Amino acid sequence: MVAASASIKLKTNMSLAIAIAGVMVHPSFISLIDQVANGEPVALLGIPLSSTSYAYSIFPALMMTWVLSHIEKWADKITPSVTKSFLKPMLIMLLATPIALLVIGPMGMGSVSHLSVCLPRFMLSWDGSL
């Protein structure tokens, strides 16, 4: 839902946004994350995965949809018009999925954890009781 709504607002392909968000919560990916949490090293493209779950998170889906809108504009420029129907979505998925799993996802979860620490302190500082 988050990726679909964000794709409408960002004017990007809703199907691709939902597909990339779906990869982040797919049961096979969650089993890989469970392996990482149990101490087994799991790498994607030679980069180790972090043990964060994206099942109930909003920020990674929002951030990935924003990145997807930029990747889609770039892919639209470089793909020939004859092959846009199949080459453009394939190219976008090949680029956006590793970016989502290795960069955007952990960065989004890190920003949420920092926000959850800083926001209560900020709210208390308005009251003057900090």
Side-chain angles (χ1 to χ4, degrees):
M1 288 299 286
V2 173
S5 299
S7 68
I8 292 169
K9 187 71 174 173
L10 295 170
K11 296 178 179 77
T12 188
N13 190 326
M14 184 186 297
S15 300
L16 291 174
I18 291 171
I20 293 170
V23 168
M24 296 173 82
V25 295
H26 194 273
S28 297
F29 180 70
I30 291 174
S31 69
L32 284 176
I33 296 302
D34 289 340
Q35 289 178 1
V36 173
N38 292 333
E40 297 177 36
V42 177
L44 178 67
L45 301 173
I47 301 171
L49 291 173
S50 64
S51 64
T52 54
S53 175
Y54 309 112
Y56 301 106
S57 58
I58 294 172
F59 283 124
L62 285 174
M63 293 169 60
M64 192 55 229
T65 306
W66 179 74
V67 170
L68 173 68
S69 68
H70 292 288
I71 293 173
E72 188 174 7
K73 289 175 189 172
W74 174 78
D76 193 41
K77 289 179 187 176
I78 67 164
T79 54
S81 61
V82 175
T83 60
K84 275 195 195 303
S85 64
F86 70 92
L87 186 60
K88 181 181 164 188
M90 183 181 66
L91 184 62
I92 290 170
M93 288 298 289
L94 284 173
L95 291 174
T97 303
I99 291 171
L101 299 178
L102 298 173
V103 180
I104 300 296
M107 188 172 70
M109 294 307 289
S111 65
V112 167
S113 66
H114 290 303
L115 185 64
S116 68
V117 170
C118 296
L119 191 60
R121 291 182 183 176
F122 179 70
M123 297 300 283
L124 286 175
S125 67
W126 280 2
D127 189 27
S129 60
L130 183 67

